[in-house]
């Protein structure tokens, strides 16, 4: 498999899929099951050529694939119908097929379709069916975008008839790319036009597939393309056609073969003009292959024209560049992975397995390595030497989420108690006992797997070894058999704080943590109704403080502070009849005015607390104080925890720029003129160093700060978020907060934030086996030295990304080991150590590494890297760095791993075929390329949010999910298949949901059926829908219910509540919405996917030449 | 003689004035040779039930530098409706209101019996009295409880419209807002940080908000007065609130580890109290009442660290310059006291603890502002409770015996100048023609501020005769002095009390006998003692004693009758006869002797000595001893060890202590229980008699004396034994005959030895 790299898997699937499969497969390991992958593609891509191909393969291969195809069709369901109607779909397919044909031409370069693939072939072959395999390889190779359009025409022509088969592959690509065009088959032509297509041809090899395609073709109509229809704009048969047809048919076919993308084919240059003819992207199979569409970009258009002519349905597409459908589609990849790997549990026993994508639902069985929910790596196969690593430029990083929440089906880590002697550790490197430790000398000693030190086994821990050298009790002890487990910490692991009164608290064990609610009661907060809302909510929320395990009541104590430019502490001791307020106005030198009665048990002081929360809004109802302080508030909370000698969390509810005379006073320094200058970085830097100092003190005290912001204007998030950021806290921002509109979102976030299980006073240390070491850390934490990640608080959402570098040679035999140890205080005050272990493979061939990479993780790392870099470098430089690195990664692959092929081809590794699209999303993000409407605060906010995101969050954040709501039958209970985030995919007759983890839009097409409007909004026409609506009326009809359920389920998946915004087509709010269609050119100048791919191709070629 | 005694007594009763000399030597030189300076003890608000205030304003001399008040000594031309100022001789027109004036129709101020007269001023806004409680919460539970009860009780004693405020302190300082309903609200300050008045007012929100909002906001003119008095509310409004608040007061919640003192932020608490009043009610009568149960242990004004193993400074430490915090703390409190005095407020200190509480450092707060200083062992004692209650006692008119924000102005005829004053006052630094360059006490001014005073508050005022020897005063000439005291009466009216006195001049060479006969040895003793104590505050103890001795010797040389070098021939006239004895006891008194007293005790004693009237001061110098026996009615006996007899009961009043001492036999009888037997009823009565008398003293005295009931051999008998003249000691016991008295085990000299030395020195020509 390895050899094949991603490819291997591919073969089985369809080549296109290969890529995907690649992933899966890798995970599956040897599992032939790989076949499965194809299926998935088929399914998803179904629509797209890629799928088709797969299908073919599948077909050929085994039932699965076949299954797949059907699946695809099935998927199509929603679409299918439509498509079907069109018939065009078929037609298109036809065209697409033509396309494929064309590709053939393209393939020509390759030689025989298969041949071309050849290089790849190997791979392909390995897979399964030769052809497929071939394609796969191609795909692997990277999609190739051949500028040569030329072939296209013929194809197109061809397309119809025979093409289909062939086309299937090629054609599909182009089509998909183009909107309706595809269907029209124009795309294909295009592709063909481009010589590249030819290249892809190899995929054509697909021909065989072709056959398969055929089926797809039928399937073609499937949804995928659906989008196409939307394109309406295009002359095509418009809607009908476009949708179903495009996607489905073309893509499938195309992909397989196509993986390659024909760049703007030379011939058509004019049309493509935008895309430089020069580039021809051929993506490896990855894209193309998978989804047929990809390959031929540009071509499609030109082709389109042709097509148009040809198949009635497909109408001539306006000339365009690469066919978007021919380039690797995130949707397809995700769908494939789901289908391939979502069914069986992921068993962690084997070293170096690539886990399923984060977008896939899967169960994990811990058999010695930490679940991917805890740790994900950019690559599961690490180059043995630093030279190789440097050459490849692929960052070696792990994204660690030590306290990740698990699905109910998976057991949380076992707690191991080693008694008074504490956890067993290596004497030299202090690594904790783990399954990789080698017991020797009959069990009397063990050799550390990290530093090779030989340690004695303490007598009480001694156990005999069996004939394989394993301890007899290995399976009875979590620390010897599992990847993740916890130790109960002993006294030695408890922090002795300065000033800790050992006499009064004889136990060095920490006291249970405390939550302190600190509420801004300045004029702004009162006026918006925030204070009243919050106080009301807290009354009930306090019953739901996190508790340990099955504890009856939470051990957490609570305290309350309100503030404007002075602070008000409250004594809510249970013995009082009324709460007492203590005002501290000495904000320059903050202190805690009381000890007893400030932090109380909720149950005991319930009456007093309720009375307090009732009175707070009243007391300040007439306030006219507009000034606030900020740093002193945090200081106060921290001092309170210090006085109470416990760790804890501050919940700050703050409204405005802290301009009152006090430490940490800020001025308004927002200056948009700085954007795109060398000084832009200052917008991300804190205004004053005071907050860093404060944060440091907070960390020392185990005081985590969660900040809820309700700004009306600039509040300098960059500065205010410093403390939350460094203490492992979260920042929530509700711009222009209004109770009516934002209450749901705020309360929901608040509830989740208060209730979530959190560890305090944590220190995380990542140990590695000799050869690599952790050199850099990203996330919300503080580091006082180079190895210990200190987290005042850590919850299940917080992620730390760790970068590794070589400091020696790694050994292929022993692989590379990671051990992440987290020492923390649980919410009941118990001191614990959570250990995660992960073993990775090491390779001497770069190809092995490229086959075991994970793009999502890579993007997570790169985004965090870039977002941190903006603090110190001009944004432009950061973007260039990213692009260069990406180009180097891909060029290295091309140079070292891909089979020789025309320089005009863009060949992407299967595992990384989405790298360009995702990277483009990162580059276009608000932080790196702000649009005019993005405020400085927004950028700073997003910047710090991303810093602690996990892989799943960055994935959807950078590439939003766009879900068509009205395409699938109402009865279907599954989530509708997503479509690509491009305006071209929107049909004005449909309704879509878009979400990126922070925002949720409901987009309503202008010509959506009245019935739908009525069912969803309870108004009679499109024009009566209120734009900007944030709540859907609760209506008793299946559609409304389904949509609302879907929204609920989306919200449930995200760590923050996403406020819904209803956007009407052509409405002014649509601009906001379009911002999230990340495959399109953005208003702020961000490149479209296609453009970027071309650019990337150019870069790579430059590097190669 | 009798005439002079009567004269002195009459003058004291009428004017509240006692002069050291009642006939004045007419030249500077002669006056200097008199040794005892021309000075007086003035009790500005001496209770005068027979003196109803007049309802109009005084008539002032029109000369701007004089402004003396029209008085009986002025020459009046009834026809021209003119009067001549007797200080500057300016002729003044009577105001129109006096149009009907004639020899038979005189206004009160011209009648000789109204040499002291009180005017009631109607103009000016009257502001209510203000009481700001500053309460230490670092107390033992029962102490705090007792204090809380006392405070709650005091609320009922306050005038209903008085403003009250509450500040509590421990590790932190809390200023309680009293106006709020529902939630009780307080402003909290760190106890370790010194804040400027401005900062305090900012933090309490007393400064006017800078109109932060440009938005239309309905102006609320009512607002500011309300805001500024959030912390000071009329008692009738918040009576219940405050009672509850006091009831809920908790001990300072911050943990105190073993071996540590609680952290007590007295310095900051006082500073905030001062700042609060300064910002809200400057120049209005206000009392800051500080209740503390221990020494300040942190922040500005800290007196001792919180380590128990390091004891609070003693006199020994101070002498060795080993009191680390003393200077800084003293400076802090002095600064506060001066500010308070400037604002016209006064500070009371109620310190109840077994150990010292830092009165030494804090004394100026009470001394400079006319506040009370009370020292006790615990708030849970009747000593404190009754003393505190007595603060709010009322006079025959039902008015509180307290007055505020007084200024005392002294005017003299031109032969005299003012050298200074000693008492609970601060200088107002008003220079003028009648201010001497030589200072005695607080000098350099003709006006002083007395922020808090009561009917017994007494100042010593010292003068200098400046008339030159070569410009004799015509026979029958009289010198005059006018005391003008403006103050805020407890009924919140402004009042002015004017006392004008005159004394005859006499030529010391030709009329020395006159002068001698008019010597008031009691007043002189107290006035000299005040000077001595005043010096002792800044000078080494032995230096002061030497100075006192020299003065005494010089006085004896001047006024004694003796043959040179013949001590046995030495005689003093009656008007001087007691003076040496006063000096003897003064030398032994705790005002000058610090041995056996803590610095706090010394400060406490000196505080009271500097403000009590003559009678009380004399008791302090030379305690009174009464003897009870079956031989007859109780009689005063010599304060001498020879008075301690087995069959007597002694009652000693030292002002600070009341000691009842049962002689050996009496004690045995009592032990045997004779008093319970009907046939020994007389014994029971004998036992009861001193108790009743003591009770009488206790009733009237402020502060409540420590009441000690002891007997022969009792440990507390030391209070008696340390006071009496040790005429019998272990050294001379057998020389004096065993039958009488009890020997005192001391090396102190006895009065007899003292006198012998004095005589020897007085007659010696060497001096």
């Amino acid at each position: 498999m390895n050899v094949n790299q991603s490819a291997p898997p591919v073969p089985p699937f369809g080549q296109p899929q290969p890529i995907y499969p690649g992933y899966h497969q890798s995970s599956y390991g040897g599992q032939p099951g790989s076949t499965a992958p194809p299926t998935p593609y088929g399914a998803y891509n179904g629509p797209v050529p890629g799928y088709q191909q797969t299908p073919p393969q599948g077909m050929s291969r085994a039932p699965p694939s076949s299954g797949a195809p059907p699946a695809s069709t099935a998927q199509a369901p929603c679409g299918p119908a439509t498509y079907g109607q069109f018939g065009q779909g078929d037609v298109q397919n036809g065209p697409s097929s033509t396309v494929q044909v064309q590709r053939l031409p393209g393939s020509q370069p390759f030689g025989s379709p298969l041949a071309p693939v050849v290089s790849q072939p190997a791979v392909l072959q390995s897979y399964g069916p030769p052809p497929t395999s071939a394609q796969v390889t191609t795909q692997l190779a990277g999609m190739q975008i051949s500028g040569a359009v030329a072939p296209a025409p013929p194809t197109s022509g061809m397309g119809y008839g025979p093409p289909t088969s062939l086309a299937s592959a090629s054609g599909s690509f182009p089509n998909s790319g183009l909107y309706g065009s595809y269907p029209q088959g124009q795309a294909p032509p295009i592709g063909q036009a481009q010589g590249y297509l030819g290249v892809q041809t190899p995929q054509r090899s697909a021909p065989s597939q072709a056959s398969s395609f055929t089926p797809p073709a039928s399937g073609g109509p499937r949804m995928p393309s659906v989008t196409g229809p939307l394109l309406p704009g295009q002359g095509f048969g418009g809607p009908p056609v476009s949708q179903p047809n495009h996607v489905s048919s073309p893509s499938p076919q195309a992909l397989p073969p196509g993986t390659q993308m024909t760049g703007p084919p030379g011939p058509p240059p004019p049309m493509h003009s935008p895309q430089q003819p020069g580039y021809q992207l051929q993506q490896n199979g990855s894209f193309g292959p998978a989804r047929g569409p990809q390959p031929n970009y540009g071509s499609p258009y030109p082709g389109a024209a042709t097509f148009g002519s040809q198949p009635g349905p497909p109408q001539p597409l306006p000339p365009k560049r690469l066919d978007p459908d021919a380039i690797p589609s995130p949707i397809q990849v995700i769908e494939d992975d789901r289908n391939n790997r979502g069914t069986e549990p992921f068993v962690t026993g084997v070293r170096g397995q690539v886990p399923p994508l984060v977008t896939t639902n899967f169960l994990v069985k811990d058999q010695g390595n930490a679940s991917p929910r805890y740790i994900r790596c950019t690559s599961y196969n690490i180059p043995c030497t630093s030279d190789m690593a440097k050459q490849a430029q692929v960052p070696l990083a792990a994204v660690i989420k030590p306290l990740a929440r698990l699905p109910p089906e998976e057991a949380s880590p076992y707690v191991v108690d080693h008694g008074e002697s504490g956890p067993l550790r290596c004497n030299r490197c202090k690594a904790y006992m783990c399954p990789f430790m080698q017991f020797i000398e009959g069990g009397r000693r063990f050799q550390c797997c990290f530093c090779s030190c030989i340690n004695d086994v303490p007598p009480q821990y001694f156990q005999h070894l069996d004939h394989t050298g394993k301890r007899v009790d290995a399976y009875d002890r979590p620390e010897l058999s599992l990847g993740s487990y916890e130790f109960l910490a002993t006294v030695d692991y408890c922090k002795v704080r300065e000033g800790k009164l050992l006499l009064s608290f004889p136990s060095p064990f920490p006291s249970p943590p405390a939550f302190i609610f600190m509420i801004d009661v300045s004029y702004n907060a009162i006026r918006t109704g925030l204070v009243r809302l919050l106080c009301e909510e807290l009354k009930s929320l306090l019953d739901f403080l996190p508790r340990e395990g099955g504890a009856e009541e939470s051990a957490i104590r609570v305290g309350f502070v309100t503030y404007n430019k002075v602070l008000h502490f409250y004594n809510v001791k249970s013995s009082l009849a009324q709460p007492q307020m203590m005002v501290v106005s000495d904000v320059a030198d903050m202190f805690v005015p009381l000890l007893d009665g400030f932090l109380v048990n909720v149950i005991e002081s319930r009456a007093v607390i309720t009375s307090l929360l009732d009175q707070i809004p009243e007391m300040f109802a007439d306030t006219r104080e507009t000034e606030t302080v900020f740093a002193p508030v945090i200081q106060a909370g921290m001092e309170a925890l210090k006085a109470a000698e416990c760790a804890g969390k501050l919940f700050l509810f703050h409204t405005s720029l802290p301009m009152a005379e006090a430490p940490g006073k800020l001025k308004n320094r927002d200056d948009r003129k700085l954007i795109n200058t060398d000084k832009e970085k200052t917008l991300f830097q804190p205004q004053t160093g005071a907050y860093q100092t404060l944060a440091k003190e907070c960390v020392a005290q185990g005081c985590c700060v969660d900040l809820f912001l309700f700004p009306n204007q600039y509040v300098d998030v960059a500065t205010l978020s410093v403390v939350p950021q460094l203490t492992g806290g979260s920042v929530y921002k509700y711009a222009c907060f209004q109770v009516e509109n934002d209450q749901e979102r705020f309360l929901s976030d608040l509830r989740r934030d208060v209730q979530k299980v959190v560890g305090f006073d944590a220190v995380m240390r990542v140990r590695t086996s000799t050869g690599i070491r952790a050199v850099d850390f990203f996330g919300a934490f503080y580091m006082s030295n180079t190895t210990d990640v200190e987290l005042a608080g850590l919850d299940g959402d917080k992620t730390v990304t760790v970068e590794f570098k070589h400091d020696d040679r790694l050994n292929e035999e022993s692989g590379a080991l990671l051990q992440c140890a987290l020492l923390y205080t649980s919410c009941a005050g118990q001191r614990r150590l959570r250990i995660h272990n992960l073993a990775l493979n090491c390779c001497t061939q770069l190809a092995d590494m490229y086959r075991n990479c994970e793009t999502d993780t890579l993007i997570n790392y790169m985004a965090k890297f870039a977002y941190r870099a903006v603090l110190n470098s001009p944004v432009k430089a950061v973007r260039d760095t990213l692009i260069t690195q990406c180009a180097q990664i891909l060029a290295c692959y091309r140079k070292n791993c891909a089979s020789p092929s025309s320089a005009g081809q863009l060949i992407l590794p299967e595992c990384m075929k989405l790298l360009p699209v995702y990277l483009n999303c990162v580059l276009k993000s608000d932080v790196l390329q702000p649009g005019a409407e993005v405020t400085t605060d927004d950028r700073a906010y997003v910047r710090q949010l991303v810093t602690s995101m996990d892989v799943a969050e960055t994935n959807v954040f950078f590439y939003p999910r766009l879900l068509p709501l009205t395409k699938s039958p109402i009865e279907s209970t599954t989530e509708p298949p997503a479509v690509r985030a491009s305006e071209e995919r929107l049909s004005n007759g449909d309704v879509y949901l878009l979400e990126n983890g922070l925002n949720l839009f409901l987009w309503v097409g202008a010509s959506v059926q009245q019935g739908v409007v009525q069912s969803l909004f309870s108004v009679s026409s499109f024009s009566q829908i209120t734009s900007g609506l944030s709540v859907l009326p609760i209506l008793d009809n299946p559609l409304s219910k389904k949509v609302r359920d879907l929204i609920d389920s989306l919200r449930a998946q995200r760590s923050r509540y996403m406020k819904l915004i209803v956007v009407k087509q052509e409405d002014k709010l649509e601009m906001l919405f379009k911002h999230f269609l990340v495959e399109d050119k953005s208003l702020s100048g961000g490149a479209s996917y296609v453009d970027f791919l071309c650019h990337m191709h150019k870069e790579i070629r430059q590097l190669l030449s | 003689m009798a005439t002079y005694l009567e004269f002195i007594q009459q003058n004291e009763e009428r004017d509240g004035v006692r002069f050291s000399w009642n006939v004045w030597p007419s030249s500077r030189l002669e006056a200097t040779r008199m040794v005892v300076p021309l000075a007086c003890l003035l009790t500005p608000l001496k209770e005068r039930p027979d003196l109803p205030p007049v309802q109009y304003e005084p008539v002032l001399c029109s000369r701007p530098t004089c402004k003396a008040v029209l008085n009986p000594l002025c020459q009046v031309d009834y026809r021209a409706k003119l009067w001549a100022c007797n200080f500057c001789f300016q002729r003044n027109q009577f105001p129109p209101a006096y149009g009907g004036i004639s020899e038979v129709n005189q206004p009160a101020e011209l009648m000789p019996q109204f040499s002291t007269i009180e005017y009631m001023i109607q103009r000016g806004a009257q502001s209510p009295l203000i009481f700001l409680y500053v309460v230490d919460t670092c107390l033992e539970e029962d102490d705090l409880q007792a204090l809380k009860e006392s405070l709650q009780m005091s609320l009922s004693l306050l005038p209903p419209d008085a403003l009250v405020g509450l500040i509590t302190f421990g590790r932190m300082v809390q200023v309680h807002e009293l106006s709020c309903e529902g939630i009780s609200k307080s402003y909290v300050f760190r106890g370790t940080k010194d804040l400027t008045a401005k900062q305090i007012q900012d933090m309490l929100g007393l400064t006017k908000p800078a109109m932060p909002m440009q938005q239309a906001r309905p102006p609320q003119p009512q607002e500011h007065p309300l805001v500024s008095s959030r912390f000071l509310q009329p008692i009738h409004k918040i009576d219940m609130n405050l009672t509850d608040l006091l009831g809920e007061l908790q001990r300072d919640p911050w943990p105190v580890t073993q071996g540590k003192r609680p952290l007590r932020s007295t310095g900051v608490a006082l500073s905030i109290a001062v700042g609060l009043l300064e910002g809200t009610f400057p120049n209005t009568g206000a009392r800051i009442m500080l209740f503390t149960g221990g020494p300040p242990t942190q922040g500005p004004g800290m007196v001792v660290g919180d380590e128990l193993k390091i004891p609070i400074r003693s006199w020994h430490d101070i002498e060795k310059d080993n009191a680390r915090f003393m200077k800084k703390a003293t400076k802090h409190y002095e600064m506060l006291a001066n500010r308070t005095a400037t604002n016209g407020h006064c500070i009371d200190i109620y310190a109840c603890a077994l150990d010292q509480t830092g009165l030494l450092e804090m004394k100026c707060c009470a001394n400079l502002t006319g506040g009370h200083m009370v020292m006790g062992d615990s708030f849970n004692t009747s000593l404190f409770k009754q003393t505190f209650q007595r603060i709010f006692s009322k006079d025959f008119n039902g008015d509180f015996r307290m007055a505020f924000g007084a200024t005392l102005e002294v005017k003299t005829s031109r032969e005299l100048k003012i050298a200074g004053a000693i008492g609970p006052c601060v200088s107002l630094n008003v220079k003028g023609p009648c201010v001497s360059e030589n200072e005695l006490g607080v000098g350099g001014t003709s006006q002083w501020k007395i922020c808090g005073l009561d009917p017994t508050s007494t100042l010593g005022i010292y003068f200098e005769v400046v008339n030159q020897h070569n410009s004799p005063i015509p026979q029958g000439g009289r010198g005059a002095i006018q005391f003008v005291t403006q103050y805020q009466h407890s009924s919140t009216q402004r009042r002015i009390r004017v006392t004008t006195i005159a004394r005859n001049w006499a030529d010391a060479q030709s009329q020395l006998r006159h002068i001698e006969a008019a010597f008031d040895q009691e007043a002189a003793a107290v006035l000299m003692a005040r000077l001595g104590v005043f010096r002792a505050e800044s000078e080494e103890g032995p230096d002061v004693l030497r100075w006192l001795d020299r003065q005494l010797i010089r006085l004896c040389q001047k006024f004694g009758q003796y043959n040179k070098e013949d001590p046995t021939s030495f005689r003093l006239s009656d008007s001087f006869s007691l003076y040496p004895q006063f000096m003897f006891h003064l030398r032994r008194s705790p005002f000058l002797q610090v041995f056996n007293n803590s610095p706090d005790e010394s400060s406490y004693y000196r505080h009271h000595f500097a403000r009590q009237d003559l009678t009380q001061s004399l008791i302090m110098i030379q305690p009174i001893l009464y003897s009870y026996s079956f031989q007859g009615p109780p009689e005063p006996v010599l304060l001498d060890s020879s008075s301690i007899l087995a069959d007597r009961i002694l009652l000693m009043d030292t002002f600070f202590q009341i000691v009842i001492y049962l002689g050996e036999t009496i004690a045995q009888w009592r032990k045997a229980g004779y008093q319970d037997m009907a046939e020994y009823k007389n014994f029971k009565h004998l036992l009861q008699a001193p108790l009743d008398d003591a009770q009488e003293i206790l009733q009237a005295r402020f502060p409540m004396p420590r009441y000690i009931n002891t007997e022969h051999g009792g440990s507390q008998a030391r209070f008696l034994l340390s006071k009496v003249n040790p005429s019998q000691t272990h050294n001379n016991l057998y020389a004096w005959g065993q039958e009488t008295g009890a020997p005192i085990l001391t090396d102190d000299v006895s009065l007899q030895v003292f006198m012998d030395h004095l005589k020897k020195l007085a007659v010696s020509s060497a001096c």
Side-chain angles (χ1 to χ4, degrees), chain A residues 523 570 576 578-586 589-596 612 615 619 624 626 643, chain B residues 172 174 182-190 193 195 203-204 212-213 215 217 223 248 253-255 257:
Chain A
Y523 177 76
Y570 295 93
L576 294 175
Q578 279 286 328
Q580 293 174 346
M581 175 205 258
M582 310 179 104
V583 184
V584 173
S585 23
D586 188 3
D589 190 8
M590 191 39 68
F591 61 97
V592 189
L594 76 171
L595 186 60
D596 194 24
L612 172 66
Q615 290 186 65
M619 275 191 292
R624 284 185 282 125
T626 53
Chain B
M172 310 278 169
Q174 277 177 269
I183 273 187
S184 71
K185 207 168 166 185
S186 60
Y187 283 64
V188 188
F189 293 81
R190 193 192 271 278
K193 192 174 168 189
L195 299 165
M203 289 179 186
L204 289 176
M213 323 230 331
Q215 301 151 350
R217 138 212 104 76
E223 180 104 326
E248 280 194 354
W254 299 85
T257 352

Side-chain angles (χ1 to χ4, degrees), chain A residues 799-812:
Chain A
T799 311
V800 178
T801 297
V802 186
E803 188 187 2
F804 301 97
K805 286 246 163 72
H806 286 78
D807 59 2
D808 203 350
R809 240 190 107 80
L810 286 167
N811 186 336
E812 241 180 320

